[in-house]
Amino acid sequence: AAGQPQRSGGDSGSQRRWKEEILRILAGIQAPLARPLLRFCAWVLLKLLSRLFLSVQLHRGQLATVQGAAGTPDVPLLFLCAHKSPLDAPLLALLLFSQGLGAPRVALGGDTCTPRLRALLARLGGVFLPPQDEAEGLAGAVLAAYMAELLRSRQPLLLFLEEPALPRVVAPAAQRWLRPVCLALRQGAVPDVTVVPVGMAYDVTP
């Protein structure tokens, strides 16, 4: 009987360490959206685009199709895109946000991001893969649970299938993102996912 409190205390300490580790992994994957910062960065990006491009054009017919798909009850949107330029992610996120489709979560690799840039992108909607050496085990389970919850909440997800340097090849990071999406579907976390191909075209790729 004297050992019972000790075992209970040990179990409590172990649970606390597990919880701290899960929260650490989750904090590396995502951060809460900062909407005032998002609106400010959208304004800055519009100013930047006006200097980089003569115009930015939307295909209105395709936009209407996307807006119609967004109205499907209980079905999240998964935007799949090729990757032509580092500007693709902020530009597409801005266009989707400005058209009333919500602030999409943008799936990123993050291996080359500095800690400050990663923190900024996370507050703007970026979500990051755990480091490759943590991809299995607990980190993989946390990523799968996060993706299932993201899809259940019907937050749109923007995923790039390629890297600019390797067109027409599905990037390893994209494969790692697609696995928990497929797992969430197989396990019934969501009844379905609406996959929407989106793309960018540049007269001259920046």
Side-chain angles (χ1 to χ4, degrees):
Q4 184 65 32
Q6 183 176 357
R7 287 199 301 271
S8 179
D11 290 344
S12 177
S14 176
Q15 290 175 2
R16 184 172 63 252
R17 286 192 295 272
W18 277 110
K19 182 178 179 180
E20 290 172 353
E21 181 64 10
I22 289 170
L23 291 176
R24 181 193 68 80
I25 295 169
L26 185 60
I29 293 174
Q30 62 90 43
L33 282 173
R35 293 192 178 276
L37 180 62
L38 184 63
R39 286 191 289 268
F40 172 74
C41 288
W43 177 80
V44 172
L45 184 59
L46 285 173
K47 296 293 184 184
L48 175 64
L49 291 175
S50 67
R51 294 179 179 272
L52 286 177
F53 304 113
L54 294 176
S55 66
V56 177
Q57 299 178 0
L58 285 173
H59 192 293
R60 290 293 175 183
Q62 293 178 351
L63 178 60
T65 301
V66 172
Q67 289 172 330
T72 305
D74 302 323
V75 178
L77 289 177
L78 173 60
F79 296 103
L80 295 182
C81 185
H83 208 176
K84 300 180 183 298
S85 160
L87 275 179
D88 289 352
L91 185 52
L92 269 174
L94 170 64
L95 292 175
L96 295 172
F97 180 64
S98 67
Q99 298 302 313
L101 295 169
R105 289 291 187 167
V106 183
L108 302 169
D111 296 336
T112 59
C113 287
T114 64
R116 287 186 177 181
L117 178 59
R118 185 176 178 130
L120 173 64
L121 292 176
R123 298 291 281 174
L124 295 174
V127 289
F128 298 88
L129 289 167
Q132 187 66 48
D133 57 354
E134 299 181 11
E136 303 301 328
L138 182 60
V142 173
L143 177 64
Y146 170 74
M147 290 300 295
E149 185 58 35
L150 181 75
L151 294 172
R152 271 195 296 265
S153 66
R154 296 189 69 244
Q155 292 187 63
L157 177 66
L158 174 59
L159 173 61
F160 291 97
L161 295 176
E162 306 170 351
E163 292 298 334
L166 295 170
R168 303 181 187 280
V169 176
V170 178
Q175 296 178 30
R176 289 180 63 193
W177 279 117
L178 287 170
R179 278 196 291 269
V181 173
C182 294
L183 180 63
L185 280 169
R186 285 200 303 268
Q187 294 181 342
V190 288
D192 201 357
V193 172
T194 299
V195 178
V196 182
V198 294
M200 305 290 299
Y202 302 95
D203 291 334
V204 177
T205 303

Coordinates of all heavy atoms in Angstrom, one line a residue, residues 68-116:
G68 N -18.7 27.2 -55.4 CA -19.7 26.2 -55.2 C -19.3 25.0 -54.5 O -20.1 24.5 -53.6
A69 N -18.1 24.6 -54.7 CA -17.5 23.4 -53.9 C -17.4 23.7 -52.5 O -17.6 22.9 -51.6 CB -16.2 23.0 -54.5
A70 N -17.1 25.0 -52.2 CA -16.9 25.4 -50.8 C -18.2 25.3 -50.0 O -18.2 25.3 -48.8 CB -16.3 26.8 -50.7
G71 N -19.3 25.4 -50.7 CA -20.6 25.4 -50.0 C -21.1 24.0 -49.7 O -22.2 23.9 -49.1
T72 N -20.4 22.9 -50.1 CA -20.8 21.6 -49.8 C -20.7 21.3 -48.3 O -19.7 21.5 -47.7 CB -20.0 20.5 -50.5 OG1 -20.0 20.8 -51.9 CG2 -20.5 19.1 -50.3
P73 N -21.9 21.0 -47.6 CA -21.8 20.8 -46.2 C -20.9 19.7 -45.7 O -20.9 18.6 -46.3 CB -23.3 20.5 -45.8 CG -24.1 20.9 -47.0 CD -23.2 20.7 -48.2
D74 N -20.1 19.9 -44.7 CA -19.3 18.9 -44.0 C -18.2 18.3 -44.8 O -17.7 17.2 -44.5 CB -20.3 17.8 -43.4 CG -21.3 18.3 -42.4 OD1 -21.0 19.3 -41.7 OD2 -22.4 17.8 -42.5
V75 N -17.9 18.9 -45.9 CA -16.8 18.4 -46.8 C -15.7 19.4 -46.9 O -16.0 20.5 -47.5 CB -17.4 18.0 -48.2 CG1 -16.2 17.5 -49.1 CG2 -18.5 16.9 -48.1
P76 N -14.5 19.1 -46.4 CA -13.5 20.1 -46.5 C -12.9 20.2 -47.9 O -13.0 19.3 -48.7 CB -12.4 19.6 -45.5 CG -12.7 18.1 -45.5 CD -14.1 17.9 -45.7
L77 N -12.2 21.3 -48.2 CA -11.6 21.6 -49.4 C -10.1 21.3 -49.4 O -9.4 21.7 -48.4 CB -11.8 23.0 -49.9 CG -13.2 23.5 -50.3 CD1 -13.2 24.9 -50.6 CD2 -13.6 22.7 -51.5
L78 N -9.6 20.5 -50.3 CA -8.1 20.3 -50.5 C -7.7 20.9 -51.8 O -8.1 20.3 -52.9 CB -7.8 18.8 -50.4 CG -6.4 18.4 -50.7 CD1 -5.4 19.1 -49.7 CD2 -6.2 16.9 -50.6
F79 N -7.0 22.0 -51.8 CA -6.5 22.6 -53.0 C -5.1 22.0 -53.3 O -4.2 22.0 -52.5 CB -6.3 24.1 -52.8 CG -7.6 24.8 -52.6 CD1 -7.9 25.3 -51.3 CD2 -8.5 25.1 -53.6 CE1 -9.1 25.9 -51.1 CE2 -9.7 25.8 -53.4 CZ -10.0 26.2 -52.1
L80 N -5.0 21.4 -54.5 CA -3.7 20.8 -55.0 C -3.2 21.7 -56.1 O -3.9 22.1 -57.0 CB -4.0 19.4 -55.5 CG -4.4 18.3 -54.5 CD1 -4.5 17.0 -55.2 CD2 -3.4 18.3 -53.3
C81 N -1.9 22.0 -56.0 CA -1.3 22.9 -56.9 C 0.1 22.5 -57.3 O 0.8 21.9 -56.5 CB -1.2 24.3 -56.3 SG -0.7 25.7 -57.4
A82 N 0.5 22.7 -58.6 CA 1.9 22.6 -59.0 C 2.6 23.8 -58.3 O 2.0 24.7 -57.8 CB 2.0 22.7 -60.5
H83 N 3.9 23.8 -58.4 CA 4.7 24.8 -57.7 C 5.7 25.4 -58.7 O 6.7 24.8 -59.1 CB 5.5 24.2 -56.5 CG 5.8 25.1 -55.4 ND1 6.3 24.8 -54.3 CD2 5.5 26.5 -55.3 CE1 6.5 25.8 -53.5 NE2 6.0 26.8 -54.1
K84 N 5.4 26.7 -59.1 CA 6.3 27.3 -60.1 C 7.2 28.3 -59.5 O 8.2 28.6 -60.1 CB 5.4 27.9 -61.2 CG 4.5 27.0 -61.9 CD 3.7 27.7 -63.0 CE 2.7 26.7 -63.7 NZ 3.4 25.7 -64.4
S85 N 6.8 28.9 -58.4 CA 7.6 30.0 -57.9 C 7.4 30.1 -56.4 O 6.3 29.7 -55.8 CB 7.1 31.3 -58.5 OG 7.5 32.5 -57.7
P86 N 8.4 30.7 -55.6 CA 8.2 30.9 -54.2 C 7.0 31.8 -53.9 O 6.5 31.8 -52.7 CB 9.5 31.5 -53.7 CG 10.5 31.0 -54.7 CD 9.8 31.0 -56.0
L87 N 6.5 32.6 -54.9 CA 5.4 33.5 -54.6 C 4.1 32.7 -54.7 O 3.0 33.3 -54.3 CB 5.4 34.6 -55.7 CG 6.2 35.8 -55.4 CD1 6.1 36.8 -56.6 CD2 5.8 36.5 -54.1
D88 N 4.1 31.5 -55.2 CA 2.8 30.7 -55.3 C 2.0 30.7 -54.0 O 0.8 30.9 -54.0 CB 3.1 29.3 -55.8 CG 3.5 29.3 -57.3 OD1 3.5 30.3 -57.9 OD2 3.9 28.2 -57.7
A89 N 2.7 30.3 -52.9 CA 1.9 30.1 -51.7 C 1.3 31.4 -51.2 O 0.1 31.4 -50.9 CB 2.9 29.5 -50.6
P90 N 2.0 32.5 -51.0 CA 1.4 33.7 -50.5 C 0.3 34.2 -51.5 O -0.7 34.7 -51.1 CB 2.5 34.7 -50.3 CG 3.7 34.2 -51.1 CD 3.5 32.7 -51.1
L91 N 0.6 34.1 -52.8 CA -0.3 34.7 -53.8 C -1.6 33.9 -53.8 O -2.7 34.5 -53.8 CB 0.3 34.7 -55.1 CG -0.4 35.3 -56.3 CD1 -0.9 36.7 -55.9 CD2 0.4 35.4 -57.6
L92 N -1.5 32.6 -53.8 CA -2.7 31.8 -53.8 C -3.5 31.9 -52.5 O -4.8 32.0 -52.5 CB -2.4 30.3 -54.0 CG -2.3 29.8 -55.5 CD1 -1.8 28.4 -55.5 CD2 -3.7 29.9 -56.1
A93 N -2.8 31.9 -51.4 CA -3.5 32.1 -50.1 C -4.2 33.5 -50.1 O -5.4 33.5 -49.6 CB -2.5 32.0 -49.0
L94 N -3.6 34.5 -50.6 CA -4.2 35.8 -50.6 C -5.5 35.8 -51.5 O -6.5 36.3 -51.2 CB -3.2 36.9 -51.2 CG -3.8 38.3 -51.5 CD1 -4.3 38.9 -50.2 CD2 -2.8 39.1 -52.2
L95 N -5.4 35.2 -52.7 CA -6.5 35.1 -53.6 C -7.7 34.4 -53.0 O -8.8 34.8 -53.1 CB -6.1 34.5 -54.9 CG -5.1 35.3 -55.8 CD1 -4.7 34.5 -57.0 CD2 -5.7 36.6 -56.2
L96 N -7.4 33.2 -52.4 CA -8.5 32.5 -51.8 C -9.1 33.2 -50.6 O -10.3 33.3 -50.5 CB -7.9 31.1 -51.3 CG -7.5 30.2 -52.4 CD1 -6.7 29.0 -51.8 CD2 -8.6 29.7 -53.3
F97 N -8.3 33.9 -49.8 CA -8.8 34.6 -48.7 C -9.6 35.8 -49.1 O -10.7 36.1 -48.6 CB -7.6 35.1 -47.9 CG -7.9 35.9 -46.6 CD1 -8.7 35.4 -45.6 CD2 -7.5 37.2 -46.5 CE1 -9.0 36.1 -44.5 CE2 -7.9 38.0 -45.4 CZ -8.6 37.4 -44.4
S98 N -9.2 36.5 -50.2 CA -9.9 37.7 -50.7 C -11.2 37.4 -51.3 O -12.1 38.2 -51.5 CB -9.0 38.5 -51.7 OG -8.8 37.7 -52.9
Q99 N -11.4 36.1 -51.8 CA -12.6 35.7 -52.4 C -13.6 35.0 -51.5 O -14.5 34.4 -51.9 CB -12.3 34.8 -53.6 CG -11.5 35.4 -54.7 CD -12.1 36.6 -55.3 OE1 -13.3 36.6 -55.6 NE2 -11.3 37.7 -55.4
G100 N -13.4 35.2 -50.2 CA -14.3 34.7 -49.2 C -14.2 33.2 -48.9 O -15.2 32.6 -48.4
L101 N -13.1 32.6 -49.3 CA -13.0 31.1 -49.1 C -12.3 30.8 -47.8 O -11.9 29.6 -47.6 CB -12.3 30.5 -50.3 CG -13.0 30.6 -51.6 CD1 -12.1 30.2 -52.8 CD2 -14.2 29.7 -51.6
G102 N -12.1 31.8 -47.0 CA -11.4 31.5 -45.7 C -9.9 31.6 -45.9 O -9.3 31.7 -47.0
A103 N -9.2 31.6 -44.7 CA -7.7 31.6 -44.7 C -7.3 30.2 -44.8 O -7.4 29.5 -43.8 CB -7.2 32.3 -43.5
P104 N -6.7 29.7 -45.9 CA -6.3 28.3 -46.0 C -5.1 28.1 -45.2 O -4.2 28.9 -45.0 CB -6.1 28.2 -47.5 CG -5.6 29.5 -48.0 CD -6.4 30.5 -47.2
R105 N -5.1 26.8 -44.7 CA -3.8 26.4 -44.1 C -2.9 25.9 -45.3 O -3.4 25.2 -46.2 CB -4.1 25.2 -43.2 CG -4.8 25.6 -41.9 CD -3.8 26.4 -41.0 NE -4.4 26.7 -39.7 CZ -3.7 27.2 -38.7 NH1 -2.4 27.4 -38.8 NH2 -4.3 27.4 -37.5
V106 N -1.7 26.4 -45.3 CA -0.8 26.1 -46.4 C 0.2 25.1 -45.9 O 1.0 25.4 -45.0 CB -0.1 27.4 -46.9 CG1 0.8 27.1 -48.1 CG2 -1.1 28.4 -47.3
A107 N 0.3 23.9 -46.5 CA 1.2 22.8 -46.1 C 2.6 23.1 -46.7 O 2.8 23.3 -47.9 CB 0.7 21.5 -46.7
L108 N 3.5 23.2 -45.7 CA 4.9 23.6 -46.1 C 5.8 22.5 -45.5 O 5.5 21.8 -44.6 CB 5.3 24.9 -45.5 CG 4.4 26.1 -45.9 CD1 4.7 27.4 -45.1 CD2 4.6 26.4 -47.4
G109 N 7.0 22.4 -46.2 CA 8.0 21.5 -45.6 C 8.7 22.1 -44.4 O 8.8 21.5 -43.4
G110 N 9.3 23.3 -44.6 CA 9.9 24.0 -43.5 C 11.3 23.7 -43.2 O 11.9 24.2 -42.2
D111 N 11.9 22.8 -44.0 CA 13.3 22.4 -43.6 C 14.3 23.5 -43.8 O 15.3 23.5 -43.1 CB 13.7 21.2 -44.6 CG 12.8 20.0 -44.3 OD1 12.3 19.8 -43.2 OD2 12.7 19.1 -45.2
T112 N 14.0 24.5 -44.7 CA 15.0 25.5 -44.9 C 14.5 26.8 -44.3 O 15.2 27.9 -44.4 CB 15.1 25.8 -46.4 OG1 13.8 26.1 -47.0 CG2 15.6 24.5 -47.1
C113 N 13.4 26.9 -43.5 CA 13.0 28.1 -42.9 C 13.8 28.4 -41.6 O 14.2 27.5 -40.9 CB 11.5 28.0 -42.5 SG 10.4 28.0 -43.8
T114 N 14.1 29.7 -41.4 CA 14.7 30.1 -40.2 C 13.6 30.1 -39.1 O 12.4 30.1 -39.4 CB 15.3 31.5 -40.3 OG1 14.2 32.4 -40.6 CG2 16.3 31.6 -41.4
P115 N 14.0 30.0 -37.8 CA 12.9 29.9 -36.8 C 12.0 31.1 -36.8 O 10.8 31.0 -36.6 CB 13.7 29.9 -35.5 CG 15.0 29.2 -35.9 CD 15.3 29.7 -37.3
R116 N 12.5 32.3 -37.1 CA 11.6 33.5 -37.1 C 10.7 33.5 -38.3 O 9.5 33.8 -38.2 CB 12.5 34.8 -37.2 CG 13.2 35.1 -35.9 CD 13.9 36.4 -35.9 NE 14.5 36.8 -34.7 CZ 15.2 37.9 -34.4 NH1 15.3 38.8 -35.4 NH2 15.7 38.1 -33.2

